[in-house]
Amino acid sequence: MMREQVIIQTISTSKRGQQTFFQTKLPKDTQRIIGIETGLYVLNVPDNFIPAQELSKLVRRNNLMGVVQLRANTKPDVFCSKEIFERDINIGADEVKIIPSLIRKDEKIDPPDGNRFDYFTHWTHGAKREEDPLDVCGCTVVNGLYKDSIGEYFQTDVNYKVMLYIWIERKVNQQ
Amino acid sequence: MQTVKKRFDIAVTEAGKTFSKTFELDKNIVSVKGILFTSDKDDLLYYRGSQKVEINKEEIFPENYESKLLLSGINVSPNNRYYDLGNQPAGNGTIKVEYKDSNDSRAVFAPYRVSLYVECVLQ
């Protein structure tokens, strides 16, 4: 019987441009890697670091936190390379904002221009989150490299944790 | 196949703590089809939350699995919002959730509620 399971790897970064090498051991009965997901916790940041805001009237570039690359122990090639973004700051682009009439009377508000994002957030407007599908067989250890970019961009140390979720398929003996 | 949806709540009252709760399903529920997490403060759940979920003592999501991966926004069709578990046997009908709140500078802590929705299959 095949069973899906997720293995979690935490990558902590606290220095500008830091490179982190890590190894994730997979269970012995792993048949294949079926997908990858990532997450992010931003911990303490210096005062001059301004997290990306949705309040801008312009479409802006998302903050790139870093890049993670994964290799299987049996093969030399990188089987997965993923950019980790702080958030999608342009999630509400092209949405028309509806302002309740009561607020409209009291405040001077620009008419909806379809390009103001402050009422739209990624936890309501984000798509259903699913793993990036992969099919990597014969891997027992995942060798990974994470390289910080946000620290280089802001020229300062940013403290954060990247979470890596490796979905695997295991062969389990049926009882 | 008749399905029923259940809701269970966890009150998160302190920052950086783990809140463990066990919920009981009705006896006539045979399997769990899907689960979904929501909150009264979506941003806190999105940025700060992670959890371990066990159904019938079987680990479905391990510790530190982020809550944002189990959230569905209003962009998602109501018919597709639940995370599909196939047909996970309900067994003794217990669902154990260990919800962990972690510090994140993008969302300042305030007490919030985490709701777990479970889509169940009846006998």
Side-chain angles (χ1 to χ4, degrees):
Chain A
M1 189 177 119
M2 296 302 228
R3 204 187 140 194
E4 289 182 8
Q5 192 188 334
V6 62
I7 309 287
I8 300 179
Q9 173 75 45
T10 305
I11 307 157
S12 295
T13 301
S14 56
K15 297 282 177 204
R16 163 181 149 192
Q18 183 178 327
Q19 289 193 40
T20 309
F21 293 90
F22 58 91
Q23 282 196 321
T24 309
K25 203 175 169 192
L26 304 181
K28 278 181 186 170
D29 53 3
T30 302
Q31 293 296 299
R32 61 192 185 109
I33 298 170
I34 53 173
I36 295 287
E37 284 179 290
T38 53
L40 175 74
Y41 290 107
V42 180
L43 305 171
N44 299 320
V45 291
D47 295 339
N48 61 348
F49 174 83
I50 304 160
Q53 297 288 316
E54 286 105 350
L55 298 169
S56 166
K57 288 183 179 179
L58 303 168
V59 174
R60 293 189 302 153
R61 187 187 302 145
N62 293 325
N63 284 336
L64 174 67
M65 301 302 286
V67 179
V68 63
Q69 290 187 333
L70 304 175
R71 284 184 177 88
N73 60 328
T74 48
K75 290 163 193 157
D77 303 334
V78 171
F79 70 80
C80 176
S81 179
K82 192 169 178 180
E83 293 173 324
I84 312 291
F85 289 97
E86 191 240 332
R87 70 180 91 169
D88 182 0
I89 56 175
N90 301 312
I91 193 91
D94 298 334
E95 294 270 13
V96 175
K97 188 166 66 177
I98 298 158
I99 303 160
S101 53
L102 275 174
I103 299 172
R104 212 180 299 155
K105 273 181 200 166
D106 297 343
E107 296 174 28
K108 265 194 171 178
I109 291 178
D110 299 331
D113 59 3
N115 202 19
R116 289 167 59 106
F117 314 138
D118 44 332
Y119 280 71
F120 302 105
T121 49
H122 37 282
W123 52 87
T124 56
H125 279 62
K128 191 176 183 185
R129 280 160 278 273
E130 286 173 302
E131 71 266 23
D132 301 334
L134 288 171
D135 190 359
V136 182
C137 298
C139 175
T140 51
V141 177
V142 174
N143 295 310
L145 163 65
Y146 179 78
K147 189 171 185 317
D148 170 71
S149 299
I150 194 80
E152 291 286 358
Y153 181 75
F154 283 105
Q155 295 287 301
T156 187
D157 295 338
V158 182
N159 191 4
Y160 61 95
K161 275 196 302 187
V162 172
M163 309 294 288
L164 179 70
Y165 304 96
I166 304 169
W167 282 93
I168 56 168
E169 202 171 66
R170 296 177 68 180
K171 195 172 187 178
V172 180
N173 291 330
Q174 209 162 9
Q175 290 171 347
Chain B
M1 187 173 63
Q2 200 185 344
T3 60
V4 66
K5 295 191 172 60
K6 298 276 178 190
R7 172 180 153 171
F8 305 104
D9 289 346
I10 300 168
V12 183
T13 49
E14 277 184 81
K17 289 269 168 73
T18 301
F19 297 84
S20 183
K21 244 181 161 180
T22 304
F23 307 109
E24 292 259 345
L25 294 172
D26 297 342
K27 299 285 177 216
N28 58 345
I29 289 169
V30 288
S31 61
V32 177
K33 224 175 133 199
I35 62 169
L36 171 73
F37 276 88
T38 64
S39 171
D40 60 343
K41 295 189 176 84
D42 300 286
D43 50 342
L44 297 185
L45 181 64
Y46 186 91
Y47 286 124
R48 304 177 65 98
S50 65
Q51 72 284 306
K52 177 182 177 180
V53 180
E54 282 180 11
I55 297 177
N56 188 28
K57 292 187 178 171
E58 193 175 327
E59 187 180 274
I60 305 297
F61 296 106
E63 203 183 326
N64 289 329
Y65 193 82
E66 279 173 278
S67 308
K68 71 176 76 160
L69 303 170
L70 299 172
L71 276 165
S72 288
I74 55 171
N75 266 7
V76 182
S77 151
N79 284 331
N80 295 325
R81 283 184 191 166
Y82 283 76
Y83 185 95
D84 188 6
L85 293 178
N87 262 324
Q88 182 69 30
N92 62 5
T94 56
I95 300 181
K96 190 178 176 194
V97 180
E98 283 177 23
Y99 179 83
K100 190 166 119 191
D101 179 88
S102 305
N103 183 35
D104 192 302
S105 64
R106 293 169 296 179
V108 180
F109 181 81
Y112 60 106
R113 183 201 77 223
V114 175
S115 297
L116 166 68
Y117 286 81
V118 186
E119 191 178 22
C120 310
V121 178
L122 293 173
Q123 209 163 28

